[in-house]
Amino acid sequence: MSADQEGWSFATARVPAQFGAAVQRRQPGVQHAWGGEETLCGLTEDRVELYLHLFDHEDDSACPTCRHRAAVAPTRPCGQERLHERVLTAVAGPMRDELLDALRRGAEIKLWINGPAALLAKHHARLDRIVEGAPPLVAALAVDGPIGLARVEFGPWLFIVVMPDHGPPLIARAAAGR
């Protein structure tokens, strides 16, 4: 369900749980769901090879127990809900409140990335388009190290959120679509 449809909410936008893929060394034709400590059917790490793709419970090679447990696993918050929780810790103000409202209404997250602050500032922050909130945001991007950055589009605005490792997120506003 997209943000422009009536009834959009964090609850309706939850996403299925995801698990890594694993294959038991003695039974390479069967794929298992990796839950972090063991597969959903109980195989430990010393008995499986972990793969760099997600477990697909609809795949014919899926372990029946893992398939069932993955299908009934609790859902996860959508991106809007996860970003909303982060933005709640930002300094209170009208721009924060507008962004929180936009996220509750399903605003599109155009980008959410973590990486070296200098590269994010140069390639993803859209600093030249900011119309409000630039100085603190630019200062937050002037660190030597990793940082999080999200761009959220809602109506005529593009909200830019910088999430430092330590401290609250900073929010700026740019005109969307320019």
Side-chain angles (χ1 to χ4, degrees), residues 84-118:
H84 183 276
E85 292 304 308
R86 296 284 304 268
V87 172
L88 279 173
T89 65
V91 174
M95 196 166 16
R96 182 194 83 148
D97 294 344
E98 288 175 38
L99 176 55
L100 289 171
D101 180 58
L103 290 167
R104 283 190 294 271
R105 296 168 84 194
E108 185 177 358
I109 300 172
K110 292 289 196 177
L111 175 78
W112 190 348
I113 190 169
N114 293 302

Side-chain angles (χ1 to χ4, degrees), residues 4-158:
D4 56 358
Q5 293 178 333
E6 275 189 48
W8 191 97
S9 69
F10 290 155
T12 63
R14 291 187 69 85
V15 295
Q18 294 181 322
F19 302 93
V23 173
Q24 186 177 17
R25 290 184 182 98
R26 293 184 181 170
Q27 198 177 18
V30 179
Q31 198 170 123
H32 298 271
W34 182 251
E37 299 289 324
E38 63 184 16
T39 65
L40 297 184
C41 65
L43 298 173
T44 56
E45 188 171 7
D46 61 330
R47 296 177 57 198
V48 297
E49 292 177 1
L50 302 177
Y51 284 68
L52 293 177
H53 66 268
L54 295 174
F55 173 76
D56 180 0
H57 72 276
E58 294 179 356
D59 190 295
D60 291 339
S61 70
C63 160
T65 301
C66 289
R67 173 184 292 145
H68 171 72
R69 290 182 179 164
V72 300
T75 57
R76 300 178 304 121
C78 64
Q80 289 88 344
E81 185 175 357
R82 292 189 323 269
L83 187 56
H84 183 276
E85 292 304 308
R86 296 284 304 268
V87 172
L88 279 173
T89 65
V91 174
M95 196 166 16
R96 182 194 83 148
D97 294 344
E98 288 175 38
L99 176 55
L100 289 171
D101 180 58
L103 290 167
R104 283 190 294 271
R105 296 168 84 194
E108 185 177 358
I109 300 172
K110 292 289 196 177
L111 175 78
W112 190 348
I113 190 169
N114 293 302
L119 289 176
L120 296 183
K122 181 177 181 180
H123 298 290
H124 300 290
R126 308 259 169 103
L127 299 175
D128 60 326
R129 295 175 49 186
I130 294 176
V131 296
E132 183 181 355
L137 190 114
V138 170
L141 287 166
V143 298
D144 183 28
I147 200 158
L149 184 135
R151 292 194 320 242
V152 178
E153 190 169 300
F154 192 73
W157 299 115
L158 179 66

